[in-house]
């Protein structure tokens, strides 16, 4: 049973038409777009179909219009996930917006999960009866029955028109076929193009929000008191707050960083003073060591050498001794 599947799984390559056909056939609905299931009621009934009785259908609202009402449906769905120990994260804030891409991805996951339970087989499940207890369920059943009856009428009308058309001339048949095919072929093609454009816009918006969040994190980091005074941070902020696409902004930021590196390579005055202090201390140590050496040398002299030194002092003009 697949609860978490990767984004590159084959389930995420199922098309919209296949998803819609699966929903409409399983629940006897008539959805024309996947985003029509953004209220969460369809998801709840799909879980009720594969796990009968586990979803409190009386709490599900098929007539949910506001985001608050839709969120209540997703709360019911989350409770069901918790009971079944399904760890799939439901992005409610994105789904209730009705974006085609977000709803398509989540519905693709729902199809993969439902197919993994009993091989996707729904035994003795009556979706119309189960929707009767839901708020707005009867209206949904009426819409689905009306759409099915209108589809039957349209198919019968097409068969009758084709039968009558056989009686006409070949030229009239060709003209009518040409006129009938033009609007029918142009309508679905435009709808597909519009849907593709919406999906591409949603993808671009997701990418934009992703990179904007990254830039916002960098900005918050640069505003921290420990880093805001660094030249590298100032250079980054200069690039972040640039209003145009001028290439000189990057050059100026690089210059700010290189100037700081050059200043760091220079020898600071504090280092020179410390070196001068170190040399003076070495000289003092030498001076202190020399008297000790003289004292030891005097002690090693013989008495006769000491007398000769004393006579030298006497002859040198000392006021304490006379020649």
């Amino acid at each position: 049973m697949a609860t978490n599947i990767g984004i590159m799984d084959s389930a995420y390559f199922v098309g919209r038409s296949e998803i819609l056909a699966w929903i409409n056939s399983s629940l006897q609905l008539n959805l024309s777009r996947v985003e029509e299931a953004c209220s969460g009621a369809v998801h709840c009934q799909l879980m009720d179909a594969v796990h009968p009785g586990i979803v409190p259908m009386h709490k599900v609202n098929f007539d949910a219009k506001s985001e608050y009402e839709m969120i209540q449906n997703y709360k019911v769905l989350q409770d069901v996930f918790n009971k079944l120990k399904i760890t799939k994260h439901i992005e409610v804030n994105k789904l209730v917006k009705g974006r085609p891409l977000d709803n398509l991805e989540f519905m693709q996951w729902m199809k993969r999960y439902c197919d993994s339970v009993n091989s996707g087989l729904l035994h003795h499940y009556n979706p119309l009866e189960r929707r009767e207890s839901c708020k707005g369920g009867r209206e949904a059943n009426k819409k689905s029955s009306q759409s099915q009856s209108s589809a039957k009428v349209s198919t019968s009308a097409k068969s009758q028109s084709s039968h009558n058309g056989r009686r006409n001339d070949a030229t009239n048949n060709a003209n009518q076929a040409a006129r009938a095919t033009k609007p029918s072929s142009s309508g679905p093609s435009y709808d597909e193009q519009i849907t593709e454009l919406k999906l591409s816009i949603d993808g671009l918006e997701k990418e934009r929000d992703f990179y904007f969040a990254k830039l916002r994190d960098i900005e918050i980091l640069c505003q921290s008191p420990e880093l805001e005074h660094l030249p590298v941070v100032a250079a980054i902020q200069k690039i972040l707050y640039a209003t145009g696409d001028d290439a000189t902004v990057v050059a100026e930021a690089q210059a700010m960083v290189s100037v700081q590196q050059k200043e760091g390579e220079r020898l600071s005055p504090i280092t020179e003073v410390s070196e001068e202090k170190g040399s003076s201390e070495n000289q003092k140590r030498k001076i202190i060591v020399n008297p000790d050496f003289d004292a030891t040398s005097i002690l090693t002299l013989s008495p006769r050498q000491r007398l000769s030194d004393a006579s030298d002092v006497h002859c040198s003009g000392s006021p304490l001794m006379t020649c």
Side-chain angles (χ1 to χ4, degrees), residues 190-257:
Y190 286 131
D191 292 339
E192 291 178 358
Q193 291 178 2
I194 292 171
T195 303
E196 290 178 358
L197 290 174
K198 287 182 179 180
L199 293 174
S200 63
I201 290 172
D202 289 339
L204 291 174
E205 288 180 353
K206 278 188 174 182
E207 187 175 1
R208 178 201 63 190
D209 296 340
F210 174 78
Y211 286 110
F212 179 78
K214 294 294 182 184
L215 292 174
R216 178 57 181 161
D217 294 338
I218 294 173
E219 183 183 21
I220 294 172
L221 181 63
C222 292
Q223 291 175 353
S224 61
E226 297 84 1
L227 303 175
E228 62 181 354
H229 300 296
L230 296 178
V232 177
V233 174
I236 294 173
Q237 289 178 341
K238 188 173 186 63
I239 297 174
L240 285 176
Y241 299 145
T243 57
D245 296 334
D246 193 359
T248 59
V249 175
V250 179
E252 291 175 359
Q254 292 176 349
M256 294 169 63
V257 177

Side-chain angles (χ1 to χ4, degrees), residues 99-171:
R99 294 182 178 180
L101 183 60
D102 295 325
N103 283 274
L104 177 61
E105 289 180 355
F106 189 66
M107 194 60 74
Q108 287 170 339
W109 180 91
M110 288 290 298
K111 185 178 186 306
R112 173 61 183 274
Y113 176 80
C114 294
D115 290 343
S116 65
V117 180
N118 296 327
S119 300
L121 299 176
L122 305 180
H123 298 287
H124 308 291
Y125 183 76
N126 189 347
L128 298 176
E129 183 180 354
R130 291 293 292 169
R131 273 199 299 270
E132 287 291 330
S133 60
C134 302
K135 182 179 180 181
R138 294 181 179 178
E139 288 78 6
N141 291 339
K142 290 179 182 178
K143 290 180 182 179
S144 62
S145 61
Q146 289 176 0
S147 61
Q148 291 174 0
S149 61
S150 62
K152 292 179 180 178
V153 170
S154 61
T155 54
S156 62
K158 287 181 181 179
S159 62
Q160 184 67 25
S161 62
S162 62
H163 180 69
N164 294 329
R166 292 174 184 174
R167 298 176 183 178
N168 297 329
D169 296 332
T171 56

Side-chain angles (χ1 to χ4, degrees), residues 17-38:
S17 58
E18 185 177 350
I19 292 291
L20 288 172
W22 170 68
I23 295 173
N24 293 331
S25 62
S26 300
L27 303 182
Q28 297 183 18
L29 292 172
N30 190 30
L31 300 182
S32 59
R33 295 177 298 174
V34 178
E35 53 268 26
E36 292 179 6
C38 65

